[in-house]
Amino acid sequence: MKACLEFQAGHERGVQMRKKWRIILGAILLALVLSGCGAKGEASSGPKQVIIGTGTQFPNICFIDKNGKLTGYDVEVMRAIDKKLPDYQFKFKTMDFANLLTSLANRKIDVVAHNMAKNKEREKQFLFNQEPYNYSPLYITTKKSNNSIHTLDDLNGKNVIVGATSNAADYIRNYNKKNDNKIHLRYAGQGSNDAANQIETGRADATLSTPFAVDFQNKTQSAKQKTVGKVILDTKVYFIFAKNNKKLADEVDTAIKELEKDGTLKKLSEKWLGGDYSKSSFAK
C-alpha cells in the first residue's frame, strides 16, 4: 500500500513538472515570436524615402560637374537637410525644369529644389516651406561691352529677355503697367544659354540675372556679360511641396534654421555662389 502511494505521488510530481516545462517552453516560444515581429516591424518602419526633383542645367544651383556628379547649391543644401532628418532618406530625380511642377502635381516627386520663388499661381496648387534658404539678387545684366545701360530707366525702349514664368518677368510686367509698357519684354526659349545668346547677337539688350549666374556664364561661355547698377529684386528662394506634405515642409524648415545657425548655409553659399546669399542683400 505504501509503495502504491509513493508511486502515485511520484507520478503526480512528474505530471506537474511536465506541465511546468510546457508553460516555460511556451513562454520562450512566444517571446521569440514577438521578438521576431518586433525586428520585422522596425525594418519596415525605417527612414521614409523622399524624392527630390531637380535639374541639371542651372549653373551653380543644380548641375552635373566634370566628374558626372549631381551637385550645386540647392543639391548640397538638400543633402545637408537630409542629414538633419534621420526619419527621411532623400533621393534625387533629375528632369527638365519644365517638367518639375507637373511631376510634383502628379506625385512622381515629393519636393522641388530648383531655386524656386513664390508666386500666386504656384501657391494655388502647391505648398512652400516658410524659411527661405537662399536669396537671389537680380541685377540688370548686359553684354560686357555695353556701356549705355545702368538703370531701369535706361531700359526704356530696349528689349529685355527673361524666363516667362520667372519673378523677373513678373517684375518687368508690373513695371510696364506703371510705365506705359516702355520696356519691350521678350521671353527666353529652352536652354540655359538662350538669353545670353540673344544678348550676344543683339536681339536682346539686357536681362535680369544674379552675379553668380553671370560669373558662371563668363567662365564657361564665349559670350561675356556684366551686372550693372543696384539690386533690382532680391527674391526669396524656397522648396516646393505637395499641398498634403506640410509635416515634411515644417521639418525642412526646422533643419534650415539649424543650418543657418551653425553656418552651413553661409558656407555652402560662399562655395557655390561666390558670396553669402543666405541673407537678403538689402539687409547687408
Side-chain angles (χ1 to χ4, degrees), residues 53-55 93 95-105 109 112 114:
T54 191
K93 186 174 184 178
M95 61 190 71
D96 291 338
F97 174 77
N99 295 330
L100 284 168
L101 293 182
T102 301
S103 295
L104 183 61
I109 58 176
V112 172
H114 200 288

Side-chain angles (χ1 to χ4, degrees), residues 238-258:
Y238 303 90
F239 299 116
I240 306 182
F241 304 76
K243 283 282 191 180
N244 65 345
N245 223 346
K246 189 175 186 305
K247 180 176 183 294
L248 176 59
D250 288 344
E251 290 181 85
V252 166
D253 274 331
T254 299
I256 290 173
K257 290 177 182 178
E258 292 177 6

Side-chain angles (χ1 to χ4, degrees), residues 129-143:
N129 65 299
Q130 298 298 311
E131 292 291 323
Y133 64 95
N134 185 23
Y135 290 78
S136 286
L138 297 179
Y139 291 79
I140 297 170
T141 301
T142 68
K143 192 173 180 178

